[in-house]
Amino acid sequence: MDRHHYEMFTKFGDDGFLLHLDNARGFGRHSHDETSILAPLSQCCIIKRTTLLRLQLLAQPEYRLSDVMRESLLQDRLAPVLTEPHLLALDRRLQLILKAVRKCIDTYGEGKVVANDTTQPEVPTSDRAKLTS
């Protein structure tokens, strides 16, 4: 829900430029989950297998998203970047994403929802390079 607003900087006349504003609320309010941003997932019901596997991994207790993010942000010179309630909101929101994926799979089946991006496409025999010995 961030960076959807812009202004034109025109102090120097017609040679203005686009200026994106970061309102510092990219993570939103920790107490409110903006579920409308899940509309593309819920409407299209397609997700890459590698993305789904990564999200599922980050939902596991030993790789919890909030813990991974907390550890990563400790390296930031501005630490703490996120408050503890915001970090915990990440875990809750991840569950909302996984729930949306499960609903899609229940409705359309895994084969239609989960795009297999882990295998190389089969090359037709006619397009393969011929080896000579």
Side-chain angles (χ1 to χ4, degrees):
M1 298 299 289
D2 202 9
R3 298 185 189 269
H4 291 280
H5 183 75
Y6 69 91
E7 296 289 339
M8 289 297 293
F9 188 76
T10 57
K11 183 170 177 72
F12 303 110
D14 291 337
D15 296 327
F17 54 88
L18 191 64
L19 179 65
H20 284 276
L21 300 178
D22 184 347
N23 62 13
R25 296 229 6 212
F27 284 89
R29 293 189 312 249
H30 64 81
S31 59
H32 174 73
D33 298 333
E34 184 55 57
T35 58
S36 67
I37 63 173
L38 294 177
L41 175 60
S42 299
Q43 292 171 358
C44 298
C45 278
I46 191 163
I47 187 169
K48 289 181 181 180
R49 179 172 304 282
T50 53
T51 301
L52 179 57
L53 291 172
R54 178 61 51 97
L55 294 176
Q56 289 171 333
L57 178 66
L58 291 169
Q60 297 299 313
E62 59 271 15
Y63 297 104
R64 189 167 285 124
L65 178 57
S66 60
D67 294 337
V68 172
M69 186 67 101
R70 186 181 300 104
E71 185 177 335
S72 175
L73 291 174
L74 285 175
Q75 308 305 316
D76 196 297
R77 297 174 87 183
L78 298 177
V81 177
L82 292 176
T83 64
E84 191 62 22
H86 279 95
L87 290 167
L88 297 176
L90 295 176
D91 296 327
R92 186 179 66 244
R93 293 168 182 167
L94 175 57
Q95 290 304 314
L96 293 174
I97 294 167
L98 293 173
K99 181 179 175 183
V101 173
R102 277 192 300 275
K103 184 177 179 186
C104 287
I105 290 172
D106 290 346
T107 302
Y108 301 106
E110 186 173 338
K112 297 276 188 193
V113 174
V114 182
N116 190 359
D117 61 334
T118 60
T119 60
Q120 294 295 325
E122 189 80 20
V123 178
T125 307
S126 60
D127 293 342
R128 292 184 188 157
K130 294 184 171 74
L131 298 175
T132 58
S133 42

